[in-house]
Amino acid sequence: MFDTGRVSARPRPEIPLAVLGERARPVTLAAERALPVTSVLAPLLPDGGLPRGATVGVHGPGATALALALVAAASGAGSWTAVVGADDLGLVAAAEAGLALERTVVVADPPPAAWSTVVAALVESVEVVLVRASRRVAPGEQRRLRTHLRRRGGVLVRLPGPGIWPEDPDVRLRSVRASWEGAVATDRLDGAGRLRRRRLVVEAEGRGRAARPRRLELWLPGPDGAPAPLVTTPSTTVPSTTADLPNPTVTATTDGRGTRWAEVG
Amino acid sequence: MAPSPAPGPDQAAERALVAVVADWPVVAARIAGDVGEGGTVGAGDTAHVGEAPDGAGPVVVVHANRVVAASGAARAAGVTVGLRRREAQGRCPAAAVVTADPAREGRTFEPLAAALDAVTPRVEVRHPGEVAFPTRGPSRYFGGDAALVHRVAGVLDARLPPGVAPGVAVADGTFAAGCAARSGPAVVEPGASAAFLADRPVGEAAEHLDRDDAREATSVLARLGVRALGALAALPAPDVLARFGPAGELLHRLARGLDPRPLATRRAAPELAVAVELDPPIDRTDVLAFRAVALADDLHARLARDGRVCLRLGVEVETDHGERRRRSWRHEGGLTASAVAERVRWQLDGWLDGPAAERPTAGVTVLRLDPEEVTAARGRQLGFWGGETRIDEEAARALARVAALLGPDAVTVAEVTGGRGPTDRIASVPAAAVDLGARTVVRPGPTGPWPGRLPPPSPALVPASPVEVELRAADGTAVAVDGRGTVSAPPARLGRVEVVAWAGPWPADERWWDPDRARRRARVQVVLADGTAHLLALEGGVWHREGSYD
């Protein structure tokens, strides 16, 4: 009736401590493991943020502006940003996109021998790293970077450049069509107007949670240098029919004389 | 509640002179030329300096969207410190808004501090805009406190822009002297400081200490009904210490007309000084600042081993020709290594920008850091939300490591400068030469007198040196821009690529008054058939690509 000790209980399976630790780890949602991103670009990314530990590649016309717009919100929220190997990055444009210049550091292209050490040191301690590789990255170097990146939970953005990465990024953003607005055709002698904004079509694909292809059309840069949504929906209630109409701002593109710089300054 | 006993002779505050230039950020912006041509600036809000003759051009200096200083004209229009930027602009639409820049303020203040070296060698800069020194020797030498005040005011007046007058006063202790310098009288008699301070709010003492716990104690005291310093001084010291801790004790000492810590009149510990011989001599301030970081790190390590922190640091540089300049810097919270480096940079920049007769003539060969005042380190709590966080420190450490690997010039941060083109508006400064933890918000906004500047969006790629290109019209001739700012023909091809749209030209005739630095340029924007857009500039008959809108 009672346990006499003869019925030997089945020995409990031995669980390695590491597995136990993994199971007991506090649960965080994927959305919490992401750096903030501006609401305009959020539809391009899984969970509407930059996944921590991920590598992002940007390609196509407007890739630099895309990279800046992508990391601007994280920078504004307090993350440090390091730019490696892109001495020609326009810092005025970066500030207009929303980067906090007081937390932005530009690192000159390191010599090949020190490249992976420098990038790894930055990835270890700076949350957002923008890298333009000037040569072929060895697979071992990339694995090392990935380990550092995962551990630190930062984001590595690959700027387009001559270098070759052995593996595809986790998220790949490619702008497929760009058209500028504000300049006049070349048959006019007065050159009225100025470049105001660019309409950009961006396609996103990737691995894992980012696998579903996404597509977004937006103004990048918008009139103030920051990205702007194509259809501006006012916060007040809008008749549902207007949502399908073409954006009224598109028609009013080139105004007569445009704004001369002297008047703006 | 018995009044506290009168301070014994052993703890009486040392008489000190404080000189204040009200709204120094405004004056600094004006000296540095960051305010528009019409921007006359005055410090007309101190009662005893007389009205400043500023009719036009109110100036407001903002940091993190809040007003930190305003010129007399702006104050007259209702602008107060702490106001939001928008509200300040609303109250005074004519005001020129300048972003606060500690480097500019430190650099422009250096010549004033240097001028006071002729009066006494013990000048210490409390922060740009305010100096203090003990008066025991100088006062006797110049014939009394009033004569000394007159002399110091004269020395400073000669070096300030017209319309700006310094406030100078002598009293027991720097706090009382500072209050008197802002509001008068010029001399508070010995022993009268406590009575002089009795009607002032406790908050002023908390601001003098610049400690958050003192500000907290102030608000609690106000709710307890203790608003004036006289009321605080009447409380027994042990009770204040028991209730408010060290911050309360310091406030109470100030209220009684004592110094929280007397100005040091003797050398603290000469053996703690560290120096480095520089061979070859260094003639660049950022390189010197880089060496200063290493030296300051060394000094900190030695002090930390003894559990001490440096409150006042003497920075001395000596050139190859034996010219020497020494300056004392004070910070109540202790100076970090990067803060030391930044002050070295201010000191050197100020020396180089100063009067030609006093400028150094050779590279710096000796850099010496001399802790003039040390105290026990009480530890520093890092912020949990915002402020100084562990992450920031980690990032700063990694950047120092990268700089050590690649050289100090390879790691740069941006500083906003004035200008019109994309390369002019931002300057790169070696990260080692600035205090990364305490950088102000730098944003190239619509400040400064730069008509004809490119409005946003700005080019995302800016080549370090402009690339020469060929811009041709449809008939194959090079596009030219005449003196009236019109093109000879619309651009049709950039190199081999067709131009589909263009805008401009925008002529810019810069620094025409300076033959060495004058530049005449005309800029155009072109959109090419491949979808890319570029910013081109014509200078001396040659087109350059200044930037690409990638």
Side-chain angles (χ1 to χ4, degrees), chain B residues 219-444:
Chain B
S219 80
V220 177
L221 281 167
R223 275 174 274 158
L224 293 171
V226 180
R227 290 193 171 79
L229 285 169
L232 176 62
L235 299 174
D239 292 356
V240 175
L241 175 62
R243 174 65 181 81
F244 294 104
E249 186 198 5
L250 293 177
L251 284 176
H252 194 256
R253 283 184 65 89
L254 286 179
R256 283 187 292 157
L258 311 178
D259 255 332
R261 302 185 192 92
L263 293 178
T265 49
R266 58 180 182 279
R267 300 291 303 278
E271 76 279 5
L272 288 173
V274 290
V276 60
E277 297 259 348
L278 306 165
D279 187 24
I282 292 179
D283 52 6
R284 279 181 51 191
T285 55
D286 43 8
V287 177
L288 192 68
F290 187 65
R291 298 298 295 263
V293 178
L295 198 59
D297 265 334
D298 180 30
L299 177 67
H300 272 262
R302 291 169 73 174
L303 288 173
R305 216 165 40 216
D306 299 349
R308 287 188 280 187
V309 63
C310 176
L311 291 182
R312 190 171 59 134
L313 183 77
V315 177
E316 187 174 294
V317 287
E318 197 176 318
T319 69
D320 210 9
H321 290 174
E323 294 143 318
R324 193 183 283 191
R325 178 156 291 209
R326 186 189 178 92
R327 178 82 38 242
S328 296
W329 297 93
R330 171 179 279 268
H331 193 277
E332 300 295 339
L335 290 159
T336 61
S338 44
V340 169
E342 195 165 51
R343 279 157 180 79
V344 170
R345 197 169 141 232
W346 293 350
Q347 188 170 330
L348 260 288
D349 279 347
W351 195 7
L352 291 170
D353 287 352
E358 296 167 15
R359 266 177 227 162
T361 55
V364 173
T365 52
V366 179
L367 171 67
R368 187 177 297 117
L369 300 180
D370 184 3
E372 293 172 350
E373 198 179 324
V374 291
T375 186
R378 291 187 179 167
R380 209 157 41 122
Q381 182 68 50
L382 297 176
F384 196 62
W385 285 289
E388 186 180 5
T389 58
R390 204 174 63 83
I391 301 289
D392 286 5
E393 242 184 30
E394 213 175 274
R397 255 204 305 277
L399 294 171
R401 199 176 139 215
V402 171
L405 269 171
L406 302 179
D409 285 343
V411 183
T412 54
V413 293
E415 268 189 8
V416 172
T417 55
R420 294 178 176 83
T423 43
D424 304 338
R425 290 171 62 188
I426 294 256
S428 287
V429 184
V434 295
D435 187 356
L436 287 176
R439 297 193 70 204
T440 50
V441 181
V442 284
R443 191 157 286 267

Side-chain angles (χ1 to χ4, degrees), chain A residues 77-89:
Chain A
S79 297
W80 281 70
T81 308
V83 183
V84 187
D87 301 341
D88 58 348
L89 189 78

Side-chain angles (χ1 to χ4, degrees), chain A residues 167-227:
Chain A
E167 270 180 58
D168 280 345
D170 299 316
V171 181
R172 176 206 288 267
L173 302 179
R174 176 183 291 278
S175 70
V176 289
R177 203 168 61 237
S179 56
W180 278 97
E181 237 177 49
V184 296
T186 50
D187 54 349
R188 282 181 59 172
L189 192 60
D190 60 354
R194 61 179 171 87
L195 293 184
R196 290 179 182 277
R197 52 186 184 173
R198 174 175 53 190
R199 191 173 177 141
L200 207 59
V201 180
V202 184
E203 290 175 351
E205 54 183 18
R207 279 200 289 256
R209 297 179 62 84
R212 184 166 70 83
R214 297 157 200 256
R215 186 186 169 89
L216 179 72
E217 206 165 349
L218 76 162
W219 297 115
L220 182 74
D224 57 350

